[in-house]
C-alpha cells in the first residue's frame, strides 16, 4: 500500500479542460471518495492517477516518488471499472488470476491467492463459470477479486456500484468498506452518489467542473460546506437556499430540510430562523414526512415527524 | 441472496416453442421467396440436372449419367493439379487477407487526425470491380512496358525488369496477391467492427493488470475477435475459392496451367470444352469445399464446448453472504512487482510509438492508394507514352485525350472498343438501378418476416436456401441462365441481365434487411398495432421509415455489386446493346492492341468512379451494408 499525492494535476483534452489544478494528499490506508456530478472529471482524475491518461501538468507521487516515468503497467494500481471490464473469454478463475500470471508467479502461489480472494468474496463456487453466466452483483465481486488478489499500491474504483440495484448497492458498500479496512487498502473511490460517499469514506473530495471544491471528512463536508455547490450537492433532499431575512442581498441562507421543522401555532423562538408559506405537497417517506412549502414563489423543503394538516393549508 | 439471483432470471421461451406466423407473414415474404425460387432455384435445379447427365455436343443428345461426371473429373489429373492450386491460392488469400486486414483494422481503430479519410482510402480496392482491379494489376506486372518495370527503369534498376506473370509459380503468387489486395479491406472492415464493439475498459484493465501491448493483443483482442474471425475466415475462404474475374483477366489459367484453379477449370470445361456435366460437377466440388471449410472453421473458432453453462445448483451454492465470512488475511503478502527503469524514458517511448504508428498509417495509404493513383496517372498519360521503350512511369505530358476518346467517340479515329464505353456505362447504370429498385421493393417485407419469425420452419428453410446460394459459385448458375435465356430469347438484353443480377442481389439484400429489422425493437411493432395500424400499414408507415438508413445502405451496396458484376454480364451479353462496363473493359484486353492502353485506362477510371465516390461520400452506408451481413465477393 502507498500514500498517493496528487499535486496540481491538470488534464486537457484538446481544448476541453477536464481538470484544473487538482491537489489531493491521500494517506496510506485511507479511503477517499471522489464525489461530483457526472462529467466533472472524476474518472479523468482516476485515470491520471492510474497512468491510463497522460497528465497535462502537475505531479503524481506514490509514497513520495514521482511516477511520471511509469506507465499504467508499472504503477501496480488496481482499478475496478464501472462496467467491471471482466475478460469475457476467461473463466472467473482466469480473470482473477490474470494479474498474477502477468507477474509470472509460481502457479501454486497463484492458485493459493486466487482461492483466498474467491473465498473472501464468496466466489468459490463460481470459479469455473464464464462472466456472462454471472449476475451483476457476482460480476462486481469478481472485479473486486481481480483487483485485490495482488497487492496493489492502491485500489481505485470508478462508480463500481452504480450498475447494481438499490438493495445490493447498500449491501456492497458496507462490504467494500470492510474489505478495505481489514486489508489496509488505500482506496480512491469514485461516485456521484453523495450518500455512498458519506457512509464509506474517511474523506470526501468534492469535484465540480474539473475544480476541487472541498476535501474533508464526511461530517465536515456535510456540516460546514465550503460553498453553495458543496452545500447543495451533499445531503438529500437538497438543501434549501433562502434569502437572508435582513434583506442583505450578499448573504444567502442554506437550511437543510431536516433542520426545518413545523412550528406549532406559528410561534417560533425568536432567535430561530423562520419562514412562513403555503403547504403545497406532502411526501410521506416513512420515518418522516417531507413538506413542500411555497415561500414567496420558491419551494422550500421541510420535514416533520407528525402532521395533522393536508396540503393547501397555511 | 435473492437480490443477487434475481439478475439471472432472464425469461427465455422454451426451445421448442415455434409461434405460428400469421397469414401476413406468408403474404409479405412470398414475393421475395417466389422470385428467389425463380431466379436462383430454377437455374440451380437445372444445373443439378446437368451434373447428372452427359451431353454429346455433336449429336446434342443427353443421357442420364448418374454420378459418372464426378467419377470422370476425379480421374482427370488436371483436376487434382487444380485442386492443389486451389488449396494453395485459398491458403495464400486467407492468410494474406487476415494478416493485412487485421493490421489495417488495428491501425484504423485508433483515433487520429484523418481517420475517416483513411478508412475511405482503405475501402477503395475492395469497392472497385475485380475486373478493374485485374486490368490495373495486369498492366503493372506486364512485361516490357508494365508499370512495375517502368518504375524499376526510372529508379535505375533496369536489370530487374522482367515479365512478372511469365513464370508459373510467380504468376500464381501474384494473382493471389492481387486477390488479397482486393479482398483485405473486407476483412479489415469486419474486424474493425469487432474492435469497435470492444469496451475500452477491457484494454485499460489488462494494462493495469500488467499486460504489455503484445500480450494484450493475444490475450484480449484476439479472443474478443473470435466470432468476427470465424465469419471473416469463412467469407475470405469462399471468396478465394470462387475467385474468377481476376484470373480471367490476368492470366486465363496460364502460363501453361499455372493459375488454373477449380473455378477456372470449371469454366474451361463448361464453356470451352462444352462438357457441361463435368463442368457443373467441378463447380459442385467447389460448393462442397466451401461447406467443408466453413465446418472446419466453425470447429476451430466456434463457441467452445467447455464454457457450457454451469448447472443451476452450483449457481446457488456459489453465492454465500459475504458479510458472514470473516475477512481472512492474505496467505502470502505479495511483493509489488519489481520496477525496472526502462531503457528509454517514457517520453521517448511515446514519441517512438507515435512515429511507428504514423509509419503504419503511411503504409496503409501506400498499399491502398498508390496503385489507384497509378491508374489515374496512366489514364492521363498520352497513349504513346504507355508503350514507349524504355518504359517510364513519368508521363511526357498530361492529357485528357484518353477520356475524350472514350466519352465522345467520333466516327474516324476512335476504335470500336472505345465507342462501346459510353453505352456500356449507361447499361451498367440502368441495370444496376433497376436491379436495386426491384430488390428494394420486395425484400423489406421478407426481411421483416425473417427477423420476426426466425423460428418458423418455412422461413428457416428460406434462410438456409439463401445461405446455400452464397456457397454456390455464380458459374454454376450462369450456364442454366444461358440456356434458359436462349430459349426465352432474352439473351443479350438488359432485362435478362437485371434478372440474372437479381439472383445475386435478392438473397443478399433480403439478408441485409433481416439484420436491419433485428435491430428494430419489437415494441415498435406493438406500438404501431396498438395505435391502430394494420400490419401492412405498420410496414409502410412505421417500419420502412425507421429502417430507411438500412434501406439506403442496401441500395448503395446492391448497386455497387451490380455495377461490378462481370461473369453474368460476360456470358449473357454479346453485343454493345447490353454489355456493361466490366465486359467492355475485359474486351480491351482481348483485342490487346497497344495503342488502346490509354483509352482502356480512361475507361477503367470511369468504371471505378462510382465505387470511389461511394467509398468517400457514402462510406457510412457502405460500411453498414457490409456489416449487416452482406458478404459480397
Ligand atoms: N477522451 C476524452 N476526450 C475528450 N474529452 C474527454 C475525454 N474523456 C473525458 N472528457 C471530458 O472530460 C470531462 C470529464 O469527464 P469524466 O472524467 O469522464 O467525468 P466523470 O467521470 O466525472 O463523469 C467531461 O467533460 C468529458 O467530456
Ligand atoms: Mg466517469
Amino acid at each position: 500500500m502507498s500514500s498517493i499525492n496528487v499535486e496540481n494535476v491538470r488534464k486537457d483534452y484538446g481544448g476541453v479542460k477536464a481538470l484544473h489544478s487538482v491537489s489531493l494528499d491521500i494517506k496510506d490506508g485511507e479511503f477517499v471518495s471522489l464525489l461530483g456530478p457526472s462529467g466533472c472529471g472524476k474518472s479523468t482524475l482516476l485515470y491520471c492517477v492510474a497512468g491510463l491518461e497522460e497528465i497535462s501538468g502537475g505531479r503524481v507521487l506514490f509514497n513520495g516518488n514521482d511516477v511520471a516515468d511509469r506507465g499504467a503497467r508499472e504503477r501496480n494500481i488496481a482499478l475496478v471499472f464501472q462496467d467491471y471490464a471482466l475478460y469475457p473469454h476467461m473463466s472467473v478463475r482466469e480473470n482473477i488470476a490474470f494479474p498474477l500470471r502477468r507477474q509470472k508467479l509460481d502457479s501454486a502461489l497463484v492458485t493459493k491467492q486466487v482461492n483466498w480472494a474467491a473465498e473472501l468474496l464468496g466466489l468459490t463456487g463460481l470459479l469455473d463459470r464464464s462472466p456472462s453466466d454471472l449476475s451483476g452483483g457476482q460480476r462486481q465481486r469478481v472485479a473486486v477479486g481481480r483487483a485485490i488478489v495482488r497487492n496493489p499500491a492502491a485500489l481505485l474504483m470508478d462508480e463500481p456500484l452504480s450498475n447494481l440495484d438499490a438493495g445490493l448497492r447498500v449491501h456492497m458498500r458496507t462490504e467494500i468498506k470492510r474489505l478495505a479496512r481489514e486489508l489496509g487498502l488505500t482506496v480512491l473511490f469514485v461516485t456521484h452518489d453523495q450518500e455512498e460517499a458519506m457512509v464509506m469514506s474517511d474523506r470526501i473530495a468534492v469535484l465540480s467542473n474539473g475544480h476541487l471544491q472541498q476535501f474533508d471528512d464526511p461530517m465536515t463536508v456535510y456540516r460546514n460546506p465550503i460553498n453553495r455547490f458543496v452545500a447543495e450537492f451533499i445531503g438529500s433532499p437538497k438543501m434549501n437556499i433562502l434569502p437572508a431575512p435582513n434583506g442583505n442581498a450578499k448573504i444567502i441562507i442554506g437550511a437543510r430540510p431536516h433542520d426545518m421543522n413545523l412550528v406549532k401555532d406559528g410561534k417560533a423562538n425568536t432567535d430561530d430562523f423562520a419562514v412562513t408559506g403555503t403547504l403545497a405537497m406532502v411526501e410521506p417517506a416513512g420515518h418522516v414526512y417531507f413538506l413542500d412549502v411555497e415561500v414567496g414563489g420558491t419551494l422550500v423543503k421541510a420535514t416533520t415527524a407528525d402532521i395533522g394538516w393536508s396540503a393547501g393549508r397555511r | 441472496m435473492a437480490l443477487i439471483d434475481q439478475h439471472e432470471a432472464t425469461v427465455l421461451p422454451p426451445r421448442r416453442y415455434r409461434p405460428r406466423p400469421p397469414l401476413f407473414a406468408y403474404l409479405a415474404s412470398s414475393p421475395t421467396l417466389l422470385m428467389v425460387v425463380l431466379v436462383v432455384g430454377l437455374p440451380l435445379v437445372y444445373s443439378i440436372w446437368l451434373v447428372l447427365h452427359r451431353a454429346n455436343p455433336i449429336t446434342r443428345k443427353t443421357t442420364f449419367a448418374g454420378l459418372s461426371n464426378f467419377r470422370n473429373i476425379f480421374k482427370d489429373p488436371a483436376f487434382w493439379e487444380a485442386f492443389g492450386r486451389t488449396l494453395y491460392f485459398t491458403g495464400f488469400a486467407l492468410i494474406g487477407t487476415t494478416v493485412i486486414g487485421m493490421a489495417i483494422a488495428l491501425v484504423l481503430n485508433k483515433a487520429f487526425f484523418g481517420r475517416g479519410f483513411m478508412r475511405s482510402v482503405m475501402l477503395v480496392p475492395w469497392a472497385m470491380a475485380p475486373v478493374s482491379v485485374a486490368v490495373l494489376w495486369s498492366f503493372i506486372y506486364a512485361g516490357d512496358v508494365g508499370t512495375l518495370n517502368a518504375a524499376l527503369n526510372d529508379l535505375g534498376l533496369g536489370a530487374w525488369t522482367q515479365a512478372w506473370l511469365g513464370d508459373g509459380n510467380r504468376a500464381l503468387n501474384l494473382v493471389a496477391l492481387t486477390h488479397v489486395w482486393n479482398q483485405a479491406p473486407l476483412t479489415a472492415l469486419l474486424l474493425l467492427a469487432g474492435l469497435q464493439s470492444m469496451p475500452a475498459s477491457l484494454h485499460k484493465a489488462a494494462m493495469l493488470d500488467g499486460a504489455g501491448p503484445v500480450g494484450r493483443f493475444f490475450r484480449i483482442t484476439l479472443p474478443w475477435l473470435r466470432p468476427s474471425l470465424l465469419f471473416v475466415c469463412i467469407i475470405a475462404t469462399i471468396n478465394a475459392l470462387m475467385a474468377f474475374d481476376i484470373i480471367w483477366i490476368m492470366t486465363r489459367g496460364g502460363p501453361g496451367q499455372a493459375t488454373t484453379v477449380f473455378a477456372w477449370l470449371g469454366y474451361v470445361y463448361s464453356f470451352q470444352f462444352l462438357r457441361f456435366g463435368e463442368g457443373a460437377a467441378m463447380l459442385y466440388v467447389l460448393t462442397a469445399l466451401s461447406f467443408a471449410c466453413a465446418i472446419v472453421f466453425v470447429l476451430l473458432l466456434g463457441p467452445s464446448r467447455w464454457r457450457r453453462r454451469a448447472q443451476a445448483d452450483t449457481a446457488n451454492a456459489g453465492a454465500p453472504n459475504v458479510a458472514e465470512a470473516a475477512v481472512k488475511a492474505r496467505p502470502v503478502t505479495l511483493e509489488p512487482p519489481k520496477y525496472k527503469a526502462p531503457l528509454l524514458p517514457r517520453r521517448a517511448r511515446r514519441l517512438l510509438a507515435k512515429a511507428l504508428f504514423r509509419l503504419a498509417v503511411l503504409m496503409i495509404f501506400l498499399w491502398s492508394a498508390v496503385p489507384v493513383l497509378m491508374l489515374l496517372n496512366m489514364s492521363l498519360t498520352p497513349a504513346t507514352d504507355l508503350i514507349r521503350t524504355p518504359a517510364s512511369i513519368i508521363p511526357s505530358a498530361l492529357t485528357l485525350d484518353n477520356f475524350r476518346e472514350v466519352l465522345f467517340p467520333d466516327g474516324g479515329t476512335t476504335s470500336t472498343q472505345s465507342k462501346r464505353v459510353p453505352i456500356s456505362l449507361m447499361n451498367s447504370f440502368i441495370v444496376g438501378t433497376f436491379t436495386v429498385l426491384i430488390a428494394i421493393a420486395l425484400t423489406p417485407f421478407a426481411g421483416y418476416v425473417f427477423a420476426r419469425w426466425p423460428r418458423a420452419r418455412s422461413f428457416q428453410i428460406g434462410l438456409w436456401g439463401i445461405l446455400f446460394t452464397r456457397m454456390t459459385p455464380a458459374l454454376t448458375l450462369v450456364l442454366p441462365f444461358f440456356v434458359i435465356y436462349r430459349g426465352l430469347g432474352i439473351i443479350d438484353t438488359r432485362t435478362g441481365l437485371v434478372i440474372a443480377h437479381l439472383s445475386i442481389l435478392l438473397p443478399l439484400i433480403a439478408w441485409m434487411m433481416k439484420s436491419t429489422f433485428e435491430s428494430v425493437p419489437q415494441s415498435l411493432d406493438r406500438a404501431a398495432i396498438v395505435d391502430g395500424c394494420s400490419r401492412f400499414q405498420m410496414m409502410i408507415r412505421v417500419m420502412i421509415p425507421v429502417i430507411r438508413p438500412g434501406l439506403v445502405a442496401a441500395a448503395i451496396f446492391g448497386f455497387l455489386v451490380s455495377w461490378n458484376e462481370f461473369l453474368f454480364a460476360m456470358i449473357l451479353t454479346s453485343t454493345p446493346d447490353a454489355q456493361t462496363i466490366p465486359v467492355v473493359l475485359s474486351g480491351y484486353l482481348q483485342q490487346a492492341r497497344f495503342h488502346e492502353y490509354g483509352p482502356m485506362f480512361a475507361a477503367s477510371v470511369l468504371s471505378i468512379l462510382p465505387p470511389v465516390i461511394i467509398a468517400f461520400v457514402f462510406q457510412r452506408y457502405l460500411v453498414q451494408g457490409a456489416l449487416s451481413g452482406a458478404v459480397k465477393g
Side-chain angles (χ1 to χ4, degrees), chain B residues 220-299:
Chain B
I220 309 293
T221 310
L222 265 191
W224 176 269
L225 286 179
R226 202 156 114 153
S228 312
L229 274 174
L230 171 64
F231 187 63
V232 156
C233 285
I234 292 178
I235 295 300
T237 303
I238 294 178
N239 286 343
L241 287 173
M242 313 280 164
F244 175 78
D245 301 5
I246 287 182
I247 293 173
W248 198 97
I249 302 279
M250 286 182 78
T251 58
R252 304 183 65 91
Q257 301 290 309
T259 56
T260 299
V261 291
F262 270 158
W264 180 257
L265 196 61
Y267 171 78
V268 170
Y269 263 79
S270 302
F271 291 93
Q272 291 184 357
F273 304 161
L274 301 181
R275 284 149 71 175
F276 298 136
E278 286 162 17
M282 200 86 70
L283 297 171
Y284 274 108
V285 171
L286 212 47
T287 306
L289 216 52
S290 296
F291 268 106
C293 289
I295 290 169
V296 167
F297 285 125
V298 169
L299 290 180

Side-chain angles (χ1 to χ4, degrees), chain A residues 42-43 82 158-159 190:
Chain A
K42 306 181 296 288
S43 300
Q82 185 171 359
D158 193 355
E159 310 202 18
V190 164

Side-chain angles (χ1 to χ4, degrees), chain B residues 50-95:
Chain B
L50 275 179
V51 92
L52 297 176
H53 288 77
R54 193 193 330 271
N56 185 329
I58 298 159
T59 60
R60 290 177 159 261
K61 260 211 195 132
T62 46
T63 46
F64 183 75
L67 294 178
S68 71
N69 281 325
F70 285 99
R71 273 196 294 278
N72 286 347
I73 57 167
F74 289 155
K75 271 188 284 184
D76 187 349
F79 171 86
W80 293 107
E81 284 164 24
F83 184 68
R85 276 182 223 112
T86 307
L87 290 188
Y88 179 79
F89 183 90
T90 307
F92 188 112
L94 180 65
I95 295 170

Side-chain angles (χ1 to χ4, degrees), chain B residues 98-182:
Chain B
T98 309
V99 170
I100 293 175
M102 177 71 84
I104 294 178
L106 288 175
V107 170
L108 296 190
N109 187 42
K110 293 260 185 300
F112 62 93
F113 178 75
R115 178 170 70 172
F117 173 78
M118 278 305 296
R119 285 191 179 165
S120 292
V121 169
M122 176 278 278
L123 283 175
V124 167
W126 171 68
M128 287 166 65
V131 168
S132 315
V133 169
V135 163
L136 165 61
W137 282 96
S138 56
F139 188 75
I140 289 179
Y141 292 136
D144 300 333
V145 297
T147 314
L148 185 54
N149 287 340
L152 287 173
N153 271 335
D154 290 341
L155 292 172
L157 298 170
W160 292 6
T161 58
Q162 52 194 299
W164 293 94
L165 295 173
D167 173 73
N169 279 338
R170 197 168 51 218
L172 184 59
N173 284 329
L174 289 179
V175 171
L177 187 66
T178 307
H179 177 81
V180 168
W181 187 75
N182 175 230

Side-chain angles (χ1 to χ4, degrees), chain A residues 13 16 18 36-45 53 158-159 190:
Chain A
Y13 287 111
V16 184
S38 95
C40 70
K42 306 181 296 288
S43 300
T44 305
L45 181 53
E53 294 283 357
D158 193 355
E159 310 202 18
V190 164

